[in-house]
Amino acid sequence: MTTVCALAPQAAEASETSEPPPVPAPVLAVSADGAYAARLAGEGEARYPERWTLGGPEPYAVPLPLAQPEEADSEVLALADGQVLIHRRVADRHEFSLLYPSGAASGPRTGEFRLGSVDAEEGLRVRLLPPPPDGCGAFALAVGAGESTVWRVAGGSGGPERVAVVPGRCSGGVWLDRTGRLLALDREADGRTKAVAVDLGRGGVVSPLLQIAEDSDDRLLLAAPDSGLLLIRSDAPGEPRLGWGVLGSERPVRFPECLRLEDAHPFAVQPGQVLMPETCGVALRVGDGGLALWRPADRYVFRLGAPEGWLGSGLWTPDGRLCLPYATPGVPCGVVSLSQPAAPPPPVRVDPPPAPAPRPVPLQQAPLG
C-alpha cells in the first residue's frame, strides 16, 4: 500500500533542516482494545510493573513485583489478554517476558514466562512498538547503524522472531490497518526522513508512504485505521508543522493554522469513524502536561487543563469520549472521561462588504418633480 501525499498549494517550500521534537513517552501504556494498561510503578531503585484493568465498572491496579526490582529503563506493554510484556536490558542481551498475577495459598504472586532475548550488539537500540490493533502479540524495533529490524517478541511460534529488515535507521511506529500487517516507520536515508510502509505479511516489503516534497522530512505520528486519518509532522511548509491527510487519498496534506502549537504531540485518535476522517477526535499532549482536543472538521483547537496526576496517555471510545488515566495519592488508579466540546461557529464574511445605506433626505430638501 502506497500513499504519496502532496503539499497543499498555500504551503511554502521545505526548510533545509528539520529536527523532530522529542516525543514524551506516556507513563501508562494502554492495550490496543483499551481493556488494560501497564506502567512501571514505584520510585528510584524500587520499581515494579503494575497492571491496570480499565474494562470493568471501576478501574483497579494490580502490582506485579518480582524478587528483584526493575531498572528504570525497562519497558512494559499491556496485552489484550491481560498479561504484561516487559523488556529489560540484561548484560549483553535484551530480554522479553510475560508477567501475570498468580494466586497462591500464601497470597498473590507474580508469574513470569520468559519469551527469549535479542543480542545487544554495540550501538543497537531496542524498544517496544505500540500494540497492534488486533491485540495479537507484540513487536519491538531494533535500530542499528545501517538497518532496522522488526521483531515479533510475543504471539509467535516461539521466541523472538525477525519479521522485517528495513535498510536505514528507523524511528516512530504506527499501525495502518486493523490486522496488524501494515506498519509505518520513519526511515532516515540520504539525509532526509520519510515515512514508509512495511508489509509484515509479505516478509517486510517496504514501500513509500509519505512524500510531501522531495527535500522535506515527513513523519507519521498517528493513524486511525477505520477512517484513514493520518497525523503528520513535516517541514514542507517551511518549518516543522502538524498536518493531516487521509490514507490512500489524492487530496494534499493540510496544515491548519490552529495546529500551530508549540511542543504538541498527538497521542489518541477516535476509532470507528469509517470513511469519515474529518469527524475523528484527536487528543494532543501540549507542553508540560497540557492537553488539547481537535477535530479536522472543526478547524478549532480546545486547550484544556489535564486532570491532576494524568499519566500522559488515553484512548477515545467510538462514541467520542476521551478516557484519561490518572494517579494521585488519594486515587492511585483513576480514569476521567470527557467529550469533544462543540466548536464555535465560523465567522460570517460578506465579500464585498455591503454598500452603506443612503442617508435619508428631509422632505423639505427633496427634489420636486
Side-chain angles (χ1 to χ4, degrees):
M1 176 181 295
T2 301
T3 297
V4 179
C5 298
L7 181 64
Q10 67 271 20
E13 296 181 355
S15 62
E16 295 183 359
T17 60
S18 173
E19 290 295 330
V23 179
V27 178
L28 188 76
V30 183
S31 65
D33 60 355
Y36 297 97
R39 67 167 179 161
L40 275 184
E43 297 179 353
E45 298 182 356
R47 296 181 180 270
Y48 57 90
E50 183 179 75
R51 188 193 71 181
W52 287 34
T53 298
L54 305 176
E58 294 290 339
Y60 65 92
V62 175
L64 297 174
L66 292 169
Q68 295 290 331
E70 304 293 344
E71 298 291 336
D73 61 352
S74 297
E75 294 181 289
V76 292
L77 191 69
L79 305 184
D81 60 4
Q83 298 185 94
V84 173
L85 173 71
I86 185 166
H87 162 223
R88 308 180 181 100
R89 171 68 186 266
V90 180
D92 58 350
R93 62 191 184 278
H94 294 268
E95 289 191 347
F96 303 91
S97 295
L98 291 175
L99 307 179
Y100 52 91
S102 175
S106 58
R109 299 177 56 187
T110 300
E112 180 177 13
F113 180 77
R114 298 185 182 274
L115 297 169
S117 62
V118 173
D119 291 340
E121 302 172 4
E122 184 177 357
L124 188 71
R125 294 183 300 167
V126 179
R127 63 176 178 85
L128 295 178
L129 289 170
D134 62 358
C136 298
F139 296 81
L141 179 66
V143 182
E147 65 181 23
S148 302
T149 304
V150 179
W151 292 86
R152 188 196 310 271
V153 296
S157 57
E161 173 189 1
R162 184 185 288 107
V163 294
V165 178
V166 181
R169 297 176 59 84
C170 292
S171 58
V174 177
W175 296 99
L176 298 175
D177 66 332
R178 279 286 172 196
T179 64
R181 172 175 171 172
L182 295 176
L183 174 67
L185 296 172
D186 300 328
R187 180 174 65 176
E188 180 184 348
D190 300 325
R192 288 297 174 189
T193 300
K194 302 285 186 183
V196 297
V198 183
D199 191 338
L200 303 184
R202 297 174 56 198
V205 173
V206 179
S207 57
L209 182 65
L210 290 178
Q211 178 76 34
I212 300 178
E214 184 176 349
D215 57 350
S216 62
D217 291 320
D218 310 318
R219 297 175 173 88
L220 182 62
L221 307 181
L222 209 58
D226 295 327
S227 65
L229 177 65
L230 304 178
L231 278 300
I232 296 159
R233 190 183 304 277
S234 173
D235 62 355
E239 61 180 347
R241 293 271 302 276
L242 285 177
W244 70 281
V246 179
L247 185 65
S249 172
E250 295 182 357
R251 299 184 64 183
V253 173
R254 278 144 283 186
F255 296 90
E257 284 296 316
C258 64
L259 288 183
R260 281 182 175 268
L261 303 173
E262 185 177 355
D263 194 22
H265 307 276
F267 66 88
V269 61
Q270 183 181 354
Q273 307 302 296
V274 179
L275 303 179
M276 296 189 297
E278 292 86 356
T279 65
C280 289
V282 178
L284 306 98
R285 290 189 297 269
V286 182
D288 187 12
L291 176 67
L293 302 182
W294 171 75
R295 188 165 50 190
D298 293 341
R299 302 180 183 178
Y300 188 86
V301 171
F302 293 91
R303 298 290 296 268
L304 306 174
E308 180 185 0
W310 179 42
L311 298 176
S313 60
L315 72 153
W316 288 92
T317 63
D319 60 354
R321 301 286 295 178
L322 177 64
C323 302
L324 301 173
Y326 68 95
T328 64
V331 183
C333 177
V335 175
V336 63
S337 64
L338 47 89
S339 298
Q340 176 93 7
V348 177
R349 297 179 180 177
V350 180
D351 189 20
R359 182 178 64 87
V361 179
L363 182 60
Q364 61 270 26
Q365 298 179 13
L368 300 178

